[in-house]
Amino acid sequence: MPHIFGKCSEEDTDEAECCLNAALVTPGTDFKAFPEGDSCGGDSEKGIPWCEVDCFGVTNNDTPEPPEPKKPPPPPKEEEKTADKADRTTPPDEANLIRGGKSLLNIHCATWRDKRQTKNVHEQKRFLAKCMSQDCEQSLEGTKGGCRFMDENGLCYAYNSAQLWCVDHMTNVNCHDGAEDWAIPPIGNVDGGQYATKWMPKKDAKVAGDYPSEPDYSCSCMKNCSCGRKNCRCVDKDQKGVGYNSDFDGIKIFKSSSKKGRCMCSCGGVLGF
């Protein structure tokens, strides 16, 4: 049968343009361009057909496959959407939220925030308990006080003006909302007076400094009470601790109407004396 001219040695430059075997055939080669027979000029020479042809280094498709399209990015998470909407306005000085780059807190809270890394574990817990006692009492002060809004550490802004500013700027990144039932109007929504508010102390505080094996710790408070190590004097003889540990469970309570608006807190088993 007729065949394409291929009777030449590999790399035969003289017949490279007409002999199929002179060089490696590249993808897209037009085989009709080669002469039939056994010469560059073409002739009537016929040959025995091959049973099979092996191709090396090429694919059956000389057109490369297009790359897979890139997957679209996943939709933003809900917290990311919320963060995008956050108000990053710097609070004015008269709001008394921040001064010198630090939140304005009750004195023991400021001490815990700024110096806890210099104190041992017991003292860190004691100062946080003292801080919580101050925040607790602030939550019971009525229209002149109240604690609903906190800083990034979960500590009450000490000034009533700061609480009121956050009411009008709830999406501001500096205003961390405890809950509406933590305060009476206009800061919160509790109608039963300041002693019916539901403020809660801090939970899951981390030990600062070189104490990698120390677990997180939480706080509890006795509202309208003054306590020692073994007993409390409270307005309500059946007063229960509020918070996240059992430090006041089973403590003996004596009734005392003079303790209204007072608080005693304990953090990680350490009272705030």
Side-chain angles (χ1 to χ4, degrees):
M1 65 177 293
H3 60 83
I4 293 173
F5 175 44
K7 192 175 182 181
C8 59
S9 60
E10 186 178 357
E11 303 298 340
D12 190 333
T13 56
D14 293 334
E15 297 181 328
E17 294 183 359
C18 62
C19 184
L20 181 65
N21 289 330
L24 181 67
V25 178
T26 58
T29 297
D30 183 6
F31 288 93
K32 292 181 180 180
F34 293 96
E36 292 184 358
D38 281 340
S39 66
C40 276
D43 53 45
S44 59
E45 181 70 23
K46 293 181 174 56
I48 299 173
W50 290 343
C51 294
E52 61 181 23
V53 176
D54 293 328
C55 298
F56 300 93
V58 296
T59 63
N60 291 331
N61 186 357
D62 60 1
T63 303
E65 295 184 3
E68 293 186 5
K70 293 183 178 179
K71 295 182 179 179
K77 297 179 181 178
E78 287 301 318
E79 56 267 26
E80 292 174 347
K81 293 181 181 179
T82 302
D84 290 340
K85 297 178 182 179
D87 174 15
R88 301 184 183 279
T89 303
T90 300
D93 291 343
E94 58 267 24
N96 292 312
L97 264 80
I98 298 171
R99 188 169 299 158
K102 291 185 177 182
S103 49
L104 298 179
L105 310 172
N106 289 308
I107 184 64
H108 292 310
C109 295
T111 298
W112 180 83
R113 177 194 63 195
D114 297 337
K115 298 182 178 180
R116 68 186 186 277
Q117 65 272 11
T118 67
K119 300 182 182 297
N120 61 36
V121 176
H122 182 275
E123 284 296 280
Q124 291 186 45
K125 294 178 178 180
R126 186 173 75 88
F127 267 95
L128 183 57
K130 290 164 73 72
C131 161
M132 289 295 99
S133 294
Q134 286 187 317
D135 281 2
C136 177
E137 291 181 0
Q138 179 181 324
S139 75
L140 302 175
E141 287 178 355
T143 56
K144 293 183 178 180
C147 172
R148 174 180 175 179
F149 296 98
M150 304 165 289
D151 71 351
E152 69 275 10
N153 291 310
L155 309 176
C156 296
Y157 286 113
Y159 287 89
N160 182 252
S161 58
Q163 298 289 329
L164 292 172
W165 189 86
C166 283
V167 170
D168 294 330
H169 301 82
M170 287 192 182
T171 60
N172 189 273
V173 293
N174 299 288
C175 298
H176 301 268
D177 191 357
E180 284 185 308
D181 61 3
W182 278 25
I184 62 174
I187 298 171
N189 67 357
V190 176
D191 292 329
Q194 66 263 37
Y195 302 116
T197 55
K198 302 294 179 63
W199 173 89
M200 295 287 281
K202 186 174 176 65
K203 67 181 297 188
D204 297 332
K206 297 188 179 300
V207 175
D210 190 19
Y211 301 99
S213 62
E214 285 291 332
D216 295 351
Y217 62 99
S218 298
C219 304
S220 288
C221 296
M222 293 287 282
K223 295 183 178 182
N224 297 305
C225 296
S226 178
C227 302
R229 298 186 187 282
K230 295 182 180 181
N231 57 68
C232 292
R233 296 184 180 277
C234 304
V235 173
D236 183 356
K237 194 175 184 300
D238 296 320
Q239 182 69 42
K240 303 294 183 183
V242 296
Y244 308 99
N245 63 41
S246 57
D247 290 353
F248 293 105
D249 288 2
I251 197 167
K252 189 172 184 179
I253 298 176
F254 297 96
K255 185 176 177 62
S256 175
S257 59
S258 66
K259 303 305 178 183
K260 185 174 288 188
R262 299 288 304 278
C263 293
M264 174 56 73
C265 298
S266 175
C267 295
V270 181
L271 289 168
F273 291 130

